Amino acid sequence: MNKDAILDLLRSSTANHLSGAELARRLGVSRTAVWKHIKTLEDEGYRIEAVPSKGYRITAEPDCIRPGELKRLLGSSIFGRNIQYLTESASTNTLAMELASRGAEEGSLVIAEVQTGGKGRMGRSWVSPKGNLYFSAILRPAVSPHQAPLMTLVGAVAVARALRKVPGIAAAIKWPNDILIEGRKVSGLLTEMSAEADRIRHLVLGIGINCNMDPGTLPGEVRAQATSLATETGKNADRTAVLAEVLRELDRWYGVFLSDRQGVLDAWRDLNVTLDRAVTVSGAGELLQGTASDIDSEGRLVITAADGSTRTVAAGDVTIVKRP
């Protein structure tokens, strides 16, 4: 028995109080043990009303990830069987890569409330204030290393589809790793890999989703381009529920990736805002301009220039050119 079991009972009976005696009876423990767990929950930020002769009732919950509930919500998913939950981490991706190198099983998760050294693409930092989702998943796909970039597309499809289940959220994908709402960034992904010439040892998919952060904690240049679920809906998101939905979608689309990569590409095309748009792509010391005409079988962006010639781009910063 642990505090999660008491939390479940209290949460299932929010309209009524549950006495210490009733909680002890249901869980097969002493009333003293119940009281100690109630105090632990209060220390973690739960507001629990205690009324003599009636018992306990939750009146407010903290905005935090609830690993125990997450496991229950995920059920038989490969994700959530092994969860490392931290109040603070330098980088969930870095820790996940370390755990993977030591043999952590596929589907293992590293979740942090705050990152002090979050990583973005191309060696950039990822600003990681309190109130958002920061997590990394360990995967061991039996595919060639050159197919690993497709995992970013898998993650993008999963996040976009999950966020679209939030009323009023029309999430879309901008190649290669951004999730946008009305042109403003709500999520980003970073894939890292350890591989040999012909096989992947392990792969880590890191995802950050802006949920309930205070926009004022972001640097000015980032703030102007970012949004959050709370900003878009006008109310704080239940981050545990959002994370569970993302992981359910990730479980589904990872399975599609392993059996039918074309299905992932088709889903990505349906959700993207990059194709058929005039773009500039910067990276590797050059600037490409043209129309984003397609993605190829390895997830690379195909750019068609004004003269009809094409180039494929495996990585870079894409700017969508607004039409006058």
Side-chain angles (χ1 to χ4, degrees):
M1 194 280 289
N2 55 39
K3 67 180 186 298
D4 288 333
I6 289 180
L7 188 59
D8 284 345
L9 289 173
L10 292 176
R11 192 180 286 125
S12 67
S13 184
T14 54
N16 301 298
H17 293 77
L18 283 176
S19 69
E22 177 64 11
L23 288 168
R25 184 189 68 79
R26 293 194 190 184
L27 297 171
V29 299
S30 69
R31 293 180 64 178
T32 299
V34 168
W35 179 82
K36 288 181 178 179
H37 285 302
I38 292 289
K39 298 305 294 182
T40 299
L41 289 169
E42 289 178 331
D43 290 342
E44 292 178 359
Y46 290 89
R47 294 176 60 185
I48 300 176
E49 181 182 66
V51 178
S53 302
K54 285 189 175 182
Y56 303 102
R57 181 172 68 92
I58 293 176
T59 58
E61 299 192 22
D63 180 20
C64 63
I65 306 300
R66 304 182 293 275
E69 183 171 349
L70 180 63
K71 286 186 177 183
R72 288 186 290 277
L73 289 171
L74 291 174
S76 61
S77 168
I78 67 167
F79 302 101
R81 299 171 189 167
N82 185 355
I83 298 175
Q84 181 151 348
Y85 168 73
L86 306 166
T87 55
E88 182 179 292
S89 173
S91 163
T92 61
N93 256 35
T94 297
L95 179 54
M97 287 290 285
E98 293 173 358
L99 294 174
S101 69
R102 298 202 296 266
E105 66 178 335
E106 183 170 60
S108 296
L109 298 173
V110 177
I111 305 168
E113 292 286 352
V114 173
Q115 292 185 121
T116 57
K119 297 190 292 185
R121 289 176 54 251
M122 302 173 72
R124 300 188 182 101
S125 63
W126 177 271
V127 181
S128 309
K130 186 176 176 60
N132 294 336
L133 285 172
Y134 311 108
F135 62 99
S136 299
I138 295 172
L139 299 168
R140 300 182 184 276
V143 300
S144 300
H146 74 272
Q147 295 173 319
L150 287 172
M151 276 307 306
T152 301
L153 274 63
V154 170
V157 169
V159 173
R161 288 180 64 95
L163 296 188
R164 283 184 169 222
K165 295 180 182 180
V166 178
I169 299 297
I173 305 168
K174 181 168 82 75
W175 189 92
N177 69 329
D178 291 343
I179 309 299
L180 309 180
I181 300 174
E182 299 296 331
R184 301 177 71 188
K185 185 170 179 176
V186 70
S187 175
L189 302 91
L190 177 66
T191 303
E192 296 185 278
M193 175 180 66
S194 173
E196 298 174 3
D198 60 347
R199 73 177 186 94
I200 293 174
R201 294 192 190 95
H202 56 263
L203 180 151
V204 166
L205 177 63
I207 299 175
I209 302 174
N210 297 339
C211 293
N212 305 327
M213 66 179 180
D214 175 2
T217 60
L218 296 178
E221 67 276 10
V222 176
R223 191 185 316 154
Q225 302 171 17
T227 190
S228 69
L229 296 181
T231 298
E232 297 296 326
T233 64
K235 61 181 181 181
N236 276 3
D238 181 333
R239 292 186 295 135
T240 302
V242 172
L243 178 53
E245 192 59 56
V246 171
L247 291 170
R248 281 193 289 261
E249 289 287 346
L250 185 58
D251 185 90
R252 173 189 174 187
W253 288 100
Y254 182 52
V256 173
F257 166 73
L258 294 177
S259 62
D260 175 23
R261 291 172 187 76
Q262 187 60 46
V264 173
L265 296 172
D266 291 343
W268 187 94
R269 291 186 180 100
D270 288 341
L271 292 163
N272 91 94
V273 292
T274 307
L275 300 186
D276 301 321
R277 303 287 296 276
V279 298
T280 61
V281 184
S282 59
E286 64 176 336
L287 181 69
L288 297 178
Q289 294 179 313
T291 299
S293 53
D294 201 0
I295 52 172
D296 68 10
S297 61
E298 296 180 12
R300 297 176 298 186
L301 188 65
V302 180
I303 304 296
T304 301
D307 62 4
S309 61
T310 62
R311 289 275 302 276
T312 57
V313 181
D317 289 326
V318 173
T319 300
I320 296 174
V321 179
K322 294 182 179 179
R323 293 182 174 87

